Amino acid sequence: MPLLQQTSLQLPANFETYAEGKQKGFLRMKELKEQGRQVVGVFCSFVPLEIIHAAGLIPVGLCSFSEESIPAGERDLPRNLCPLIKASYGYAVSDTCPYFYFSDLIVGETTCDGKRKMFELMNEIKPTYVMQLPHQRSEVALQVWRDEIIRLKEKLEDFFDVTIAEDDILQAISDKNRERKAVLSYLELGKNKPSPISGYEMGTRLDAGAFSFDIEERIHSMETRVAEIMEEYEQNKDQLDPERPRVIITGCPNAGVRDKVIRRVEELGADVVGFDACNGTREKVELVDENEPDVYLALAKKYLDINCSVMSPNPSRIEYLSNMIDEYQADGVIEVILQACHTFNIESHFVRRMVNEKGKAYLGIETDYSTSDSGQISTRLAAFVETMSF
């Protein structure tokens, strides 16, 4: 497998696109359903997957990263709404997401007002349970979130007629922690200078890997790829250009804009070395405390600490991103803000200020899933890369 040459965007010979991973996952899911397995569809990293795994159920991330379903969503939703919300609902109402079709229950969360109200409409299509997420970190909020996790457990037990034992939750916690470590080791490959992997490959492989529904398979895949890359890196490091600008991507989920932002900035001569995003390190950096005797409290602490902009105030995200800039030796930060995502858009003020104070380049891109602004974004990215090249 050839190592990525840093003078142009080249991908491994066996590179699997997100669409290919999604299609393969559909076939796997069909087989599992034929075997009698039951499925819980989720949208957000705040949903504690350990509870779903402990119930013997299969969690699956639902379709929400393409403009193709947005027209269907806009028949019921306002046009000036986040593309992720419109796409999520559009796939559901048009019955064009196989994972939504196979899901027996949807678990949502109140991360924003748009999703909160959209889930009311989704519930008319398929049973949708919504977790009430606190939007602050405090002792009161922690207890509220612990109670919400217990309510989720009770909902799953009642809906699927199962019993979720604490020993099963502990095992699920251990399994998910091992997966987090494996994924984090993959995402942190970009700390090497020069970077041994394209950010485009990194994000695509991670998102496509979510459509493998065997946690041991996912862990093995991550560990194997890390070993392959580091072996090639040691052999070919001298061929790579250490002077290419190094970029961190932060902000909203970026899968729906991967080609026009991440792929394009790498084609223009920079390396995307890290992701502070929902499909990046944000949920992976903190493990669940396996020594905490109260498993629900342990889960509540871990998930409430996720550095999403829905938390207010949210200084931990700024601190984490600042440390990330240092650890990844980044020259600049690109913040992806989906249109009408008000929490990330407002919080970008603090991100920009911190990045500027560190003397690094900052670019905020507010966009949606369409290609209509691709040319404008490409022009802005070219200027951004040029500023880091001096």
Side-chain angles (χ1 to χ4, degrees):
M1 183 184 302
L3 188 71
L4 175 73
Q5 298 299 309
Q6 300 296 300
T7 54
S8 63
L9 181 65
Q10 298 179 22
L11 297 170
N14 67 347
F15 178 74
E16 181 177 85
T17 68
Y18 180 76
E20 290 169 341
K22 184 176 171 182
Q23 177 63 24
K24 287 183 180 179
F26 162 67
L27 298 176
R28 295 189 194 103
M29 177 65 72
K30 184 174 182 292
E31 292 174 358
L32 291 167
K33 290 295 289 187
E34 289 172 348
Q35 295 168 13
R37 298 294 301 276
Q38 294 174 301
V39 177
V40 177
V42 300
F43 288 103
C44 182
S45 54
F46 278 103
V47 176
L49 300 183
E50 289 87 346
I51 300 295
I52 299 173
H53 281 293
L57 309 169
I58 301 173
V60 61
L62 299 178
C63 310
S64 58
F65 299 125
S66 172
E67 67 172 330
E68 64 185 4
S69 67
I70 287 180
E74 288 180 340
R75 290 199 292 265
D76 296 327
L77 298 173
R79 295 186 65 186
N80 61 339
L81 192 62
C82 164
L84 186 150
I85 298 174
K86 293 190 293 186
S88 301
Y89 180 73
Y91 273 117
V93 75
S94 62
D95 199 21
T96 51
C97 174
Y99 301 104
F100 186 89
Y101 172 81
F102 283 129
S103 293
D104 300 284
L105 176 71
I106 309 300
V107 175
E109 73 312 310
T110 56
T111 44
C112 74
D113 291 341
K115 290 177 77 175
R116 181 200 311 265
K117 299 304 290 186
M118 181 272 286
F119 287 136
E120 294 180 17
L121 304 184
M122 188 171 283
N123 188 52
E124 296 184 348
I125 305 169
K126 182 159 288 193
T128 302
Y129 179 79
V130 180
M131 300 186 73
Q132 303 297 318
L133 176 70
H135 289 177
Q136 61 175 302
R137 299 184 182 97
S138 66
E139 286 301 316
V140 172
L142 182 62
Q143 290 304 313
V144 168
W145 191 229
R146 176 186 179 276
D147 292 344
E148 276 298 300
I149 291 174
I150 293 174
R151 276 192 282 272
L152 172 65
K153 166 188 172 290
E154 293 170 346
K155 174 65 179 181
L156 297 179
E157 288 178 323
D158 179 65
F159 189 89
F160 292 101
D161 192 23
V162 297
T163 299
I164 302 175
E166 287 198 7
D167 284 348
D168 292 328
I169 297 175
L170 283 169
Q171 183 61 56
I173 288 173
S174 174
D175 292 341
K176 285 297 294 181
N177 276 348
R178 288 192 297 113
E179 182 186 20
R180 288 185 183 101
K181 291 176 183 178
V183 172
L184 194 60
S185 69
Y186 176 68
L187 289 170
E188 289 183 341
L189 286 169
K191 288 184 176 182
N192 292 281
K193 187 175 183 179
S195 178
I197 183 173
S198 157
Y200 185 80
E201 178 196 343
M202 191 186 304
T204 303
R205 184 181 292 270
L206 188 60
D207 287 346
F211 298 116
S212 166
F213 307 109
D214 184 320
I215 194 168
E216 297 298 335
E217 180 181 284
R218 294 197 300 272
I219 293 172
H220 176 72
S221 174
M222 286 290 102
E223 292 176 341
T224 299
R225 184 60 184 140
V226 169
E228 289 175 351
I229 290 171
M230 290 311 298
E231 181 179 356
E232 294 169 352
Y233 186 59
E234 293 304 320
Q235 296 173 357
N236 300 281
K237 183 178 179 180
D238 293 342
Q239 302 175 25
L240 304 178
D241 180 6
E243 300 305 317
R244 281 169 64 95
R246 297 166 62 82
V247 175
I248 288 174
I249 303 291
T250 189
C252 296
N254 54 61
V257 299
R258 183 179 290 121
D259 282 281
K260 68 180 179 181
V261 177
I262 298 168
R263 186 180 189 118
R264 186 61 186 139
V265 77
E266 294 195 312
E267 289 173 339
L268 288 165
D271 288 336
V272 173
V273 297
F275 294 90
D276 166 46
C278 300
N279 56 340
T281 60
R282 185 172 293 154
E283 188 275 331
K284 306 296 185 295
V285 291
E286 183 174 341
L287 303 179
V288 181
D289 184 356
E290 298 182 39
N291 296 315
E292 167 61 58
D294 183 340
V295 294
Y296 306 107
L297 183 61
L299 288 168
K301 287 179 178 178
K302 183 267 179 297
Y303 281 92
L304 202 61
D305 278 348
I306 294 174
N307 286 321
C308 179
S309 66
V310 300
M311 291 295 163
S312 182
N314 191 32
S316 58
R317 177 184 170 217
I318 308 304
E319 180 182 355
Y320 173 72
L321 182 56
S322 176
N323 292 335
M324 196 175 183
I325 290 171
D326 297 337
E327 292 173 6
Y328 286 75
Q329 303 177 68
D331 301 296
V333 172
I334 296 175
E335 185 160 25
V336 174
I337 304 166
L338 295 179
Q339 289 177 359
C341 185
H342 302 310
T343 58
F344 273 106
N345 211 340
I346 294 171
E347 195 166 279
S348 67
H349 168 82
F350 301 109
V351 174
R352 182 189 302 107
R353 184 172 65 188
M354 178 273 292
V355 174
N356 289 340
E357 287 175 351
K358 293 180 76 72
K360 307 298 182 179
Y362 171 89
L363 178 64
I365 297 178
E366 185 175 0
T367 186
D368 60 13
Y369 293 161
S370 73
T371 58
S372 61
D373 59 353
S374 295
Q376 179 193 76
I377 288 176
S378 181
T379 299
R380 295 181 66 201
L381 289 173
F384 179 70
V385 172
E386 187 174 352
T387 64
M388 294 185 293
S389 301
F390 292 106

